[in-house]
Amino acid sequence: MASRSINDLHPMLAYAYGKAEVEWKINNPKRPFPFLTATFRPGVEQNALFAQPTDKKDNDGDGKIDEPDEFVTNARAGQSPHNFNPSYAFDVGFQDDKGKTYWNDLTLFNDFAKLMLKTAGITWGGNFKKLQDRPHFELTGWENMPKK
């Protein structure tokens, strides 16, 4: 399972997330708050996500097998910024004070992205051309950074 620890993020990305999270909580005390859902992701899990559209499983729990909405990544293991330690990417979700999780509220993702993008060097998955990924943030140019 993917890590949810801020300690597994590249320091620049951890700084940007921490800064945006604090600003969110100060300016939006009654709205659901962001939380990390994935930082470092092992290669085995990355390949499983890549295979979802053809793995003959109901991955999203709607009773249908291998449907288009199960396509969640273009990246195989080693091709995702999540697959390195420290991670060059993270995903977020939102949760309210009663524990309800929000995965599909575009306004929450769009508003949080505005805060994240105040830090230079961050790319938001909501701006991806081929597969928009609103929960996803990564270091710009991570492909050219040292890998571990």
Side-chain angles (χ1 to χ4, degrees):
M1 180 168 187
S3 169
R4 292 182 172 190
S5 174
I6 196 168
N7 296 325
D8 288 332
L9 289 176
H10 184 281
M12 189 170 130
L13 203 53
Y15 167 79
Y17 174 77
K19 184 175 144 188
E21 180 187 36
V22 167
E23 188 172 347
W24 181 275
K25 287 180 178 180
I26 289 170
N27 295 325
N28 302 288
K30 298 196 184 292
R31 293 178 78 188
F33 55 88
F35 69 98
L36 293 169
T37 63
T39 55
F40 170 74
R41 180 182 298 136
V44 170
E45 184 176 347
Q46 186 68 40
N47 281 337
L49 290 172
F50 182 82
Q52 279 186 176
T54 59
D55 65 1
K56 302 195 183 342
K57 296 178 184 174
D58 175 17
N59 293 291
D60 57 8
D62 66 0
K64 299 176 186 172
I65 294 172
D66 294 346
E67 58 190 322
D69 71 348
E70 292 180 339
F71 177 71
V72 296
T73 184
N74 292 315
R76 296 175 194 260
Q79 298 173 333
S80 168
H82 287 284
N83 301 148
F84 303 95
N85 196 357
S87 179
Y88 295 118
F90 68 82
D91 297 338
V92 295
F94 293 87
Q95 192 170 59
D96 66 22
D97 58 359
K98 294 180 177 67
K100 180 180 178 187
T101 304
Y102 297 79
W103 299 108
N104 298 311
D105 186 329
L106 299 183
T107 304
L108 293 172
F109 289 104
N110 293 342
D111 290 350
F112 187 69
K114 290 174 189 170
L115 300 178
M116 281 297 301
L117 295 173
K118 286 182 178 182
T119 301
I122 304 295
T123 297
W124 179 40
N127 291 329
F128 288 172
K129 301 270 186 258
K130 188 172 180 184
L131 175 65
Q132 287 190 340
D133 188 0
R134 284 183 172 80
H136 181 88
F137 296 88
E138 66 186 36
L139 288 179
T140 305
W142 69 268
E143 303 91 330
N144 301 317
M145 296 178 177
K147 309 294 188 293
K148 290 183 185 177

